[in-house]
Amino acid sequence: MPKKKSAKTNAVRLVEQKKIPYKEYTYEWSEDHLGAETVAQELQRNQDQLFKTLVAVGNKSGPIVAVIPGNRELDLKKIAKASSNKKVEMLHLRELEETTGYIRGGCSPVGMKKLFPTFIDRSAETKETIIVSAGRRGLQMELAPQNLAKLVNGSFVDLTQTEE
């Protein structure tokens, strides 16, 4: 049987609908290697251009989306402050798909079931483009951080833990 072209994800559809320029990348993925370092190697791109999408839950706001460099850790106090929450904790993995429509390793900040408050690490602002998940494992998209922010109504804030 001929291999049919893979269906577009919500993320890709939305980016195209808004006529935002982007590049799409596909790569081989495995359950053991979902980290930014592995993805950067697969895509032959600089690791600091790769951003991961994390979903947390605030005591006042509910789900919040954080887009941070793939090689950094989210600072829960910083995102709590940015989102006007007293306390923030990571969304349980088992609730990820139900909440966002995406699975671990394929969670895009674009095209979630709802538009949640979205915060993009300030370091993205200085880059011409960043690479984020395009909504499926093995699929990434590269776009200007300002376009991403417009698309998800996101704010640029300091989100990551200070490097020791």
Side-chain angles (χ1 to χ4, degrees), residues 21-157:
Y22 77 102
K23 278 188 204 145
E24 197 175 283
Y25 299 99
T26 55
Y27 62 94
E28 291 298 317
W29 66 274
S30 82
E31 199 65 56
D32 304 327
H33 302 290
L34 292 173
E37 198 176 326
T38 311
V39 175
Q41 284 172 346
E42 283 287 332
L43 301 180
Q44 297 176 338
R45 301 307 295 236
N46 199 334
Q47 191 178 332
D48 71 349
Q49 203 180 2
L50 221 78
F51 280 64
K52 60 187 172 186
T53 305
L54 302 174
V55 183
V57 181
N59 65 318
K60 293 179 183 165
S61 66
I64 347 172
V65 179
V67 181
I68 66 169
N71 57 353
R72 301 293 302 275
E73 294 296 317
L74 178 64
D75 186 319
L76 293 174
K77 287 185 175 123
K78 287 180 181 176
I79 196 163
K81 186 178 177 190
S83 61
S84 304
N85 283 286
K86 260 195 177 355
K87 186 175 176 249
V88 167
E89 55 187 37
M90 294 306 294
L91 179 75
H92 289 287
L93 197 53
R94 66 179 174 274
E95 297 169 25
L96 184 66
E97 188 172 8
E98 186 185 322
T99 304
T100 66
Y102 291 127
I103 59 171
R104 177 177 169 263
C107 188
S108 177
V110 179
M112 290 187 180
K113 286 183 174 181
K114 287 167 77 179
L115 187 57
F116 297 112
T118 302
F119 300 91
I120 303 166
D121 190 67
R122 183 164 279 135
S123 65
E125 267 187 307
T126 61
K127 301 186 182 323
E128 206 173 297
T129 60
I130 61 171
I131 299 171
V132 295
S133 172
R136 187 173 58 236
R137 289 174 175 169
L139 185 64
Q140 300 277 317
M141 62 182 170
E142 180 178 353
L143 69 170
Q146 290 73 13
N147 286 340
L148 175 63
K150 270 187 226 149
L151 197 58
V152 297
N153 204 9
S155 316
F156 291 101
V157 292

